[in-house]
Each structure stands twice: as C-alpha cells, then as structure tokens.
Amino acid sequence: MQQRSLGRTGIRVSALCLGTMTFGEQNTESDAHAQLDRAMAAGINFIDTAELYPVPPRAETMGRTEEHIGTWLKTRGGRDRIVLASKVAGPAAWLPYIRGGKARLDRTNIQAALDASLRRLQTEWIDLYQLHWPDRETNFFGRLGYTPVEDDQSVPLLETLEVLADLVRAGKIRHIGVSNETPWGLMRFLALSEQMGLPRMVSIQNPYNLLNRTFEIGLAEVSIREACGLLAYSPLAFGVLSGKYLNGQRPAGARVSLFERFNRYSNPEAERATAEYVALARRHGLDPSQMALAWVTSRPFTTSNIIGATTLAQLEIDLASIDLTLSEELIAGIEAIHTRQPNPAP
C-alpha cells in the first residue's frame, strides 16, 4: 500500500482511506469490524468517519458509525498504528437532533461534538479533526453558484480556528482539516494560521470523481502549493461509476436503489458520461470501478482516496485499484470524455 504525507505533519497515511459512512445503516457492527480488519490487512492505516454518520442521517442512528469503530478499536488494540479522522457538523437546522438543531462551529458546539466523538470512538485523541461543512452560507454539496448573504451571522473563521487550537493544545486532537470547503475558505484559514501562529489546516475533504472534477478549478492549485492535499470522497460517485445503475438498473440493496438522496449522479448527462467511462474501461480490459478509483488516486493533489463499500467483495475490488497504473492512452480517453461532458453532476 502506497503511503503519502498528510500535509506538513510528518504523518504518513495510506493512499486509500477507509470510509465508514455505511457503518450502522447498510452495515452491521460485525460487517464494520470485518471491513476494518480487511482494510488493515491490506495496508490501510487511515480511517475516516464523522459524528453525523451513518448516512443517510437519522436521529436514531447518529453516532453509530463511531460506536462501531470504537468497539473495533477496543477489541483489536493498536490505536497508535491508526490515523483516525472524524468531523464536527456545521450549522444544521435540517438536522434538529444535532445539538437541538443549533450546531455551529463555535466553542460550545465543537467541544461538545469532540467529547461525544471521543466517547463513542473509545479513544483519547483524534488524529485529524475536520469541519464537516462551513459555518457560513456558501456553495457546497453540489451548489456551483455563490449567492451572497447580506446579514451574515456566521461564526468567524478565526474564532473557529482558536477553538481548534485549544483542543490541539489539550491533546484531544492532533491536526485539523476542512471538508466541503471553497478556495476562499481554505485560503483564509491558512492565512489566519500564518498570521496568528495557530494550527494549520492539513487537508481538505471534498467530492472528486470522473463526473465531478470541480475541485480542479480553484482548489487543486491551493492543495499543491499549500501542501493541503485532497481527501477525495465519493470517488465512485455513490457507486454510479461502477456502471451498475446504467439503463435504469437498480440492484437490490445498493445505495442509490435504497435512498433517493443519493441520486446526485443519476441525471441524464451523468448517465451518458458514465456509459462512456464504463465502455472505455472495458475496452482496456479494466474493471470500471478500479479505473475510476485509480484515476482519482493518481492525481497530484490527492493525499488519500476515501473508498467505501457495503460488502467485502466490493471492498476487494476497491483495494485492488491501488495496483493499477493507467496508460497514457487511457488517460487521453478519459480527458476526451471530460471535454465532451465536463462535470455533469457537481
């Protein structure tokens, strides 16, 4: 398993990271433990979760993913060998069960979220603590256009950063990162860290896949120049890039089949592009999922590619992508498809 530097921290993380948002919804506790065991055996040392998980979010299941990871950590041991990442939810009036629908990225909320995550994870520290989405109103979760808000009541970025700095000093977290962030937000955090002598954002976790390459437009340069690499989520576009949903197929038990909220990559333009990518992979004798994953992992700004699965068979396919090197001819084919149908599902 390849390893890469996590920002400027000196920590080395596996080029594939195990995503866990299905633990507690589509996957049982025993399923979760089996996936974690297999990932570790394959050389993965990086696990990503969040206080919100599993997804789709529900009051009845919130925090269950971290609980399943916590019981695994307790029974397996070896905490020092694992780089564990979690996230604190931003403003979430649409999630009234998270701190009464008043979640913010302020001191009270971040401290409460972190302490609860530490209890569920049964650990004394989290290696990478991420802001799941911005406190301010901006364009993320598939929104491209930015609409300014006249009466901005968001928590100032400096205030959020100072809280995180205190938690780093307390030893509860080691490093910090952002998620679903914009170029402006990431650069402001980095500038404030430099100006105020505060901890630096070491990573950004945003969506990135063959159907959504918007990260390349503004954030790729920031990632490379500022050593704040991408932790790519949805590298298979919720499984769409495997080709299993083409021609109206809805396999039983699959994420898009079960949950309407995962239709983000299912519009006609995305389906046409997906069909082309699948056909390209097959012409080159490759599994479409492995091609899509290998492409994300190979990008120069990618620190780690977050893979997720609901079965061990799917996980095996994902893991095998690390050994795949894409030819120049195949990459040219990918670029040709992207030119014809750029970012059909941001």
Side-chain angles (χ1 to χ4, degrees), residues 245-263:
Y245 300 115
L246 288 175
N247 303 313
Q249 297 180 87
R250 288 297 182 267
R255 191 178 307 171
V256 174
S257 305
L258 291 171
F259 308 113
E260 186 177 343
R261 68 178 290 123
F262 292 118
N263 283 329

Side-chain angles (χ1 to χ4, degrees), residues 10-51:
I11 293 174
R12 302 282 290 176
V13 296
S14 48
L16 297 181
C17 171
L18 184 65
T20 62
M21 75 176 192
T22 60
F23 295 3
E25 180 64 59
Q26 290 172 268
N27 289 113
T28 65
E29 184 176 30
S30 61
D31 291 339
H33 289 193
Q35 285 198 32
L36 288 160
D37 287 340
R38 180 66 191 99
M40 297 305 111
I44 287 179
N45 71 340
F46 198 12
I47 302 169
D48 180 72
T49 189
E51 66 164 335

Side-chain angles (χ1 to χ4, degrees), residues 287-301:
D287 178 276
S289 294
Q290 291 178 348
M291 182 192 79
L293 290 173
W295 181 81
V296 170
T297 306
S298 71
R299 298 303 87 194
F301 44 79

